[in-house]
Structure formats: structure tokens, C-alpha cells
């Protein structure tokens, strides 16, 4: 009998997209996903920050959202993939993170990135051409603040005093140079669900990035690679496509207008470009077993975005992920810890 693969952590990611002008419903449903994932044994729940809806999501302030999720859950870790760091005051961000981490009993994971929206940068009065430099500068301040160092002025430290964040800071990248940069700074690596601007399959494009990250890693602790993938299980492919096909196709056509994808994609090519795994759990397990980045990943982060399946279908998909798909790939839920947060 073949031994199971080394255990990875199982996560899910929501962009809290709004459909039909109902932000309250979108936020309520996203919170229900966290509650369900917590009960199913998921290790981490992630949210993505978008300041304007054209960026693909409706959550502009992830840390109040995660504070509420902390109050409704007991074990699942809570992270951002990503917070758009150049548009934040890193010291104020560190304060928000420290508060949510304290309230949750130390369950926070911090993913940061540069973002890509010219409109968002203009709205916040930031120079989009300096986004990489701003990310590097702000990440250094954030890292020092979360380490409990004096930041901003002599004698000033973030309160509440943060716990150790050494292995809890992640950086989203979109190329090999970015992967090496993340390793040099000691950040964990976040890889997106799709490699935009490439015709080759996403996993073939991203595996060299992961390899470059691991080759550049020189810290004593184990490096972490979070692999975000579109994974939507259902009873069969037809059922899955009914929930996701139109949304994915529309999203691909929108992205084609910005040059991220070619013009005129049909639904099948849109699903390929988004590197989608969908259908019966057995089919998804077989496909993920061939995924070229997953063998070096420490975290599998499933998301449904850019599709917007209804809440019942999303909850069923989370259940199938935790009961049928992830265990077949070697995952086992960690034992539930004793409640430790202020809100417990």
C-alpha cells in the first residue's frame, strides 16, 4: 500500500464578491463559509482585499471581517491573500493585525502583495509605478512592528504586544524574481490561482517560481508555499459547470479586455486559463495528483472565484473538499486546539 503524501494544510479563499447589488448577503455568506470550514477541519480561511469591485472582489477592509470571523470560529486560522500593502499605513496595519491576533488566540496569518489596480493607487494618492518599492518599504516596517521592535519613533511599539510572526508573513508574487525576493526577506510564498499573460498551463509556469524560491531560501525554519487553486467539486462535471461555467467565462472575457487573456475565449479555454479543477471529487483528485506545484506546496488554498456559486453549492463544495478530495491527497485535519482567544 502506498504511504500517504506528507500532510499539507488545507485552506480556502473567498474574495467576498457581490452579486446583484447585495453586499450584506455577500458578507453574510462569506462568514458562513468560515463557520462551515471551521467545523470541517480546514486549517486556514483566507480573504482577498479589493478596494474597487473591478478588481474581482468586494472586501475593502479585511481585518474587521476577520475579527468577526474570529468571534464565530474556534480553530481555523485567519489570513489575507492578500492585503494590498502599498495602500496601507504599515504601522496602523500592524495594530489591526495585533488586535485580531489577540482576539483570535494567535490564529492570524498575514499575506501581503502589491495589487494591480491603477484606479486604487490613484484613489489612495499612491504612485503605481513605485508599487514594488512601496511594498518592500512597508513590509519592512510591518515586519519590525509585528516583531515588537520600536517603529516610527523612539520608544513606540505596537500594542497589544504581538506574538511571534516569524513564520506567519506571506508574500504574493507573479514571477521568478518576486519569488527570490520573498525568500530573501524570509516571507512565505503565495502563488495565485492562474498565471496571467502566459499561454502555458499555470502549474508549468509557476513550478520554476516555486523552485527558485526554495533554492533562494536560507532561513533555519521550513519555508512555506501556499498554492491557490480554483477547485469546485460537485456530483459531476455538468453540475459543476452549471454553477461556475458562465461566471468563469465572463471573467475571462473581462480580463481579455485588459490584456491578461487573449480575446475571444470560449468557456473551455476560460476554464483552462483559470486552471480550474471541477467536477466529481474522484476526477479532481486525479487531476490534482498531476498538478506540478502541489508536491512542493505546504498549503493548498481552494477558491471558487471568479465563479459565484450560491451558498448551498459553496458549502457542499467545502464539504467535499474536506471529506473526499484533500484526504485522498494526504491531508488530515489537525486536532482541534483548546479555545484560547479573548472571544472564546
Amino acid at each position: 500500500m502506498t504511504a500517504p503524501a506528507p500532510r499539507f494544510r488545507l485552506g480556502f479563499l473567498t474574495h467576498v464578491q457581490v452579486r446583484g447589488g447585495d453586499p450584506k448577503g455577500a458578507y453574510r455568506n462569506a462568514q458562513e463559509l468560515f463557520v462551515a470550514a471551521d467545523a470541517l477541519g480546514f486549517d486556514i480561511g483566507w480573504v482577498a482585499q479589493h478596494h474597487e469591485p473591478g478588481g474581482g472582489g468586494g472586501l475593502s477592509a479585511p481585518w474587521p471581517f476577520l475579527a468577526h470571523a474570529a468571534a464565530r470560529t474556534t480553530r481555523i486560522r485567519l489570513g489575507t491573500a492578500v492585503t494590498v500593502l502599498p495602500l496601507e499605513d504599515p504601522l496602523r496595519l500592524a495594530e489591526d493585525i495585533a488586535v485580531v491576533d489577540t482576539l483570535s488566540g494567535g490564529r492570524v496569518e498575514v499575506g501581503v502583495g502589491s495589487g494591480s489596480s491603477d484606479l486604487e493607487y490613484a484613489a489612495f494618492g499612491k504612485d503605481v509605478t513605485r508599487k514594488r518599492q512601496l511594498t518592500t518599504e512597508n513590509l519592512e516596517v510591518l515586519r519590525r512592528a509585528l516583531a515588537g521592535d520600536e517603529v516610527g519613533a523612539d520608544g513606540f511599539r505596537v500594542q497589544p504586544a504581538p506574538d511571534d510572526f516569524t513564520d506567519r508573513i506571506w508574500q504574493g508574487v507573479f514571477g521568478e524574481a518576486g519569488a527570490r525576493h520573498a525568500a530573501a526577506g524570509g516571507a512565505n510564498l503565495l502563488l495565485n490561482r492562474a498565471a496571467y499573460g502566459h499561454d502555458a498551463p499555470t502549474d508549468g509556469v509557476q513550478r520554476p517560481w516555486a523552485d527558485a524560491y526554495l533554492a533562494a531560501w536560507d532561513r533555519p525554519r521550513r519555508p512555506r508555499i501556499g498554492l491557490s487553486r480554483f477547485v469546485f467539486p460537485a456530483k459531476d462535471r455538468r453540475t459543476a459547470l452549471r454553477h461556475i461555467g458562465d461566471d468563469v467565462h465572463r471573467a475571462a472575457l473581462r480580463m481579455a479586455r485588459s490584456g491578461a487573456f487573449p480575446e475571444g475565449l470560449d468557456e473551455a479555454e476560460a476554464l483552462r486559463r483559470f486552471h480550474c479543477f471541477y467536477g466529481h471529487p474522484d476526477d479532481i483528485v486525479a487531476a490534482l495528483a498531476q498538478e506540478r506545484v502541489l508536491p512542493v506546496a505546504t498549503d493548498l488554498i481552494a477558491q471558487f472565484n471568479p465563479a459565484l456559486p450560491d451558498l448551498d453549492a459553496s458549502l457542499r463544495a467545502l464539504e467535499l473538499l474536506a471529506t473526499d478530495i484533500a484526504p485522498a491527497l494526504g491531508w488530515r485535519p489537525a486536532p482541534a486546539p483548546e479555545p484560547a482567544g479573548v472571544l472564546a
Side-chain angles (χ1 to χ4, degrees), residues 293-317:
V293 188
L294 186 57
V296 296
T298 60
D299 294 68
L300 175 61
I301 306 168
Q303 64 171 301
F304 311 145
N305 170 272
L308 292 170
D310 62 37
L311 180 59
D312 287 343
S314 297
L315 292 172
R316 177 57 176 159

Side-chain angles (χ1 to χ4, degrees), residues 40 233-235 279 281 315-327:
L40 288 165
K235 69 176 183 178
L315 292 172
R316 177 57 176 159
L318 286 182
E319 181 182 6
L320 290 172
L321 275 160
T323 59
D324 290 22
I325 294 173

